[in-house]
C-alpha cells in the first residue's frame, strides 16, 4: 500500500478521441459517479475540449489538462500550442514525454526537458512519462533507460519545482496492448525510480513524489497494482474513454484501505 502522505491519483488520457458533444455526454454521465471520491482525478483532453472540460467540471474535484505542448512561449510554429494558451484555456496540468510522443513524433529527452521546465514556469503541473520498450527490457536495460529518461527529463529543475511534477512509469510494451505489467514488475520499476529520486534529490522529495503506473490498466488489475507500496495511482488510456469503466476504476481505488506512513 502506498504511503498515506501521498495523494492517490488517477489520470485519464483521452488521446485523440472525442468531439464536443461526446465529451459533454461523457462528463454528464461521469461526474455523478465520482462525486464522493477522495482520489484525485485528472483528465487529459484534446486541446479543443479543454475549455469545455473546465466549464463542465467546475465545482468538482476533477482537474483538466493537456497531452502535450511546445516549449516556446509563442512564435511561428505552425500547428503547435504554447503553455500560456493551455493555462488560458483553464488547463492545470500537461502530460509530457508520453511514449507515443517519443516514438511517433521523435521527441528527445532534451526536448522533453525543455517542455517540463516551461510547464513548471507557467504554473502547469507536468506529468512526465518514462518507460522502456520491450527490446530494452529484454536486453536488461530497464533501469538504465529509466535513469536516463528521468535524469535528462528533469535536468536543471529546482527541488521546489520537482515536487510539483508527477511521474508516470509506462512500459512501452504495456501501452494499448492489453498486456499490463504484473504488479511485481511494476512495483520493481517504481521502487527503482523512488530510490533514484532519493539518491539524486534526497529522501524528503522521494517520499513525497507521486508515481503513477500506466499501461493497459483495467478494473481487474487495479487492486493488485494499487496494493504496491510505491504505486500511488494510475494513468489510464483506453479504459478512461467510457465514463462507467473510468468511474469504476476510480471508485475501486477510493474503497481500498489507505497505507501507513513508511
Ligand atoms: P492504455 O494507455 O491504458 O490504453 O494502455 C495508457 C497510456 O497511454 O497512457
Amino acid at each position: 500500500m502506498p504511503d498515506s502522505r501521498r495523494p492517490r491519483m488517477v489520470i485519464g488520457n483521452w488521446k485523440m478521441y472525442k468531439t464536443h458533444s461526446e465529451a459533454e455526454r461523457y462528463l454528464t454521465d461521469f461526474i455523478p459517479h465520482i462525486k464522493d471520491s477522495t482520489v484525485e482525478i485528472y483528465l487529459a483532453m484534446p486541446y479543443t475540449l479543454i475549455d469545455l472540460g473546465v466549464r463542465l467540471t467546475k465545482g468538482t474535484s476533477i482537474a483538466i489538462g493537456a497531452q502535450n505542448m511546445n516549449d516556446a512561449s509563442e512564435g511561428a510554429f505552425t500547428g503547435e500550442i504554447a503553455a500560456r494558451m493551455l493555462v488560458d484555456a483553464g488547463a492545470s496540468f500537461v502530460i509530457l514525454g508520453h511514449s507515443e510522443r517519443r516514438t511517433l513524433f521523435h521527441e528527445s529527452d532534451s526536448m522533453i526537458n525543455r517542455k517540463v521546465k516551461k510547464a513548471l514556469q507557467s504554473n502547469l503541473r507536468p506529468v512526465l512519462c518514462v518507460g522502456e520498450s520491450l527490446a530494452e527490457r529484454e536486453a536488461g536495460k530497464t533501469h538504465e533507460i529509466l535513469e536516463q529518461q528521468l535524469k535528462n527529463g528533469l535536468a536543471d529543475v529546482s527541488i521546489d519545482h520537482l515536487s510539483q511534477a508527477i511521474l508516470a512509469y509506462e512500459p512501452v510494451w504495456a501501452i494499448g496492448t492489453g498486456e499490463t505489467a504484473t504488479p511485481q514488475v511494476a512495483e520493481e520499476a517504481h521502487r527503482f525510480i523512488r530510490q533514484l529520486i532519493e539518491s539524486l534529490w534526497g529522501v524528503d522529495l522521494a517520499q513525497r513524489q507521486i508515481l503513477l503506473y500506466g499501461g493497459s490498466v483495467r478494473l481487474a488489475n487495479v487492486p493488485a497494482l494499487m496494493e504496491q507500496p510505491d504505486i500511488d495511482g494510475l494513468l489510464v488510456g483506453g479504459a478512461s474513454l467510457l465514463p462507467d469503466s473510468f468511474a469504476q476504476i476510480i471508485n475501486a481505488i477510493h474503497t481500498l484501505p489507505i497505507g501507513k506512513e513508511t
Side-chain angles (χ1 to χ4, degrees):
M1 250 170 263
D3 192 310
S4 59
R5 281 169 296 190
R6 297 190 295 270
R8 295 177 301 173
M9 178 179 286
V10 177
I11 302 182
N13 176 10
W14 280 4
K15 307 195 181 185
M16 199 174 75
Y17 291 99
K18 298 197 190 297
T19 60
H20 262 70
S21 59
E22 288 163 353
E24 209 167 330
R25 234 177 299 135
Y26 180 108
L27 289 171
T28 310
D29 191 351
F30 178 67
I31 291 169
H33 282 98
I34 50 82
K35 68 177 191 331
D36 299 323
S37 177
T38 52
V39 178
E40 292 197 9
I41 305 167
Y42 283 38
L43 268 176
M45 297 183 165
Y47 304 132
T48 50
L49 300 178
I50 291 173
D51 177 63
L52 174 84
V54 170
R55 275 189 282 122
L56 293 182
T57 56
K58 211 169 175 208
T60 74
S61 59
I62 303 168
I64 303 294
Q67 305 163 18
N68 181 37
M69 57 172 241
N70 192 279
D71 64 289
S73 298
E74 59 184 3
F77 301 108
T78 302
E80 291 294 284
I81 197 154
R84 59 193 289 267
M85 298 169 180
L86 297 179
V87 172
D88 189 45
S92 57
F93 75 96
V94 58
I95 295 177
L96 295 173
H98 189 281
S99 73
E100 285 152 17
R101 300 295 320 170
R102 292 178 189 264
T103 319
L104 303 173
F105 300 96
H106 314 292
E107 293 198 4
S108 65
D109 277 338
S110 63
M111 180 193 276
I112 293 163
N113 176 243
R114 292 197 301 276
K115 294 182 180 196
V116 167
K117 288 188 284 193
K118 188 68 187 181
L120 286 164
Q121 285 160 13
S122 311
N123 242 339
L124 276 175
R125 205 168 184 190
V127 180
L128 174 63
C129 301
V130 296
E132 81 288 359
S133 66
L134 186 59
E136 288 160 347
R137 173 161 284 270
E138 285 175 348
K141 288 187 171 165
T142 298
H143 288 184
E144 190 187 317
I145 295 295
L146 294 179
E147 183 163 348
Q148 181 189 312
Q149 291 181 348
L150 274 169
K151 276 187 177 166
N152 294 341
L154 296 173
D156 307 320
V157 176
S158 71
I159 286 268
D160 279 356
H161 267 160
L162 277 173
S163 62
Q164 291 300 306
I166 296 162
L167 299 179
Y169 169 63
E170 297 212 303
V172 179
W173 45 271
I175 296 175
T177 58
E179 194 179 333
T180 324
T182 63
Q184 292 69 31
V185 165
E187 169 59 17
E188 195 277 330
H190 281 244
R191 191 178 324 123
F192 172 77
I193 293 171
R194 204 175 295 286
Q195 283 165 354
L196 183 67
I197 293 168
E198 181 172 336
S199 71
L200 293 170
W201 296 294
V203 64
D204 189 43
L205 182 71
Q207 280 173 347
R208 282 183 294 134
Q209 180 64 56
I210 299 172
L211 297 182
L212 309 180
Y213 168 78
S216 295
V217 170
R218 302 286 178 268
L219 181 61
N221 48 41
V222 168
L225 286 166
M226 289 302 298
E227 249 169 39
Q228 306 305 315
D230 289 295
I231 300 180
D232 305 309
L234 304 167
L235 177 43
V236 186
S240 75
L241 290 174
L242 291 174
D244 280 6
S245 73
F246 194 43
Q248 280 170 359
I249 288 172
I250 291 161
N251 290 328
I253 298 175
H254 172 73
T255 55
L256 291 172
I258 297 177
K260 292 200 176 61
E261 291 188 10
T262 49

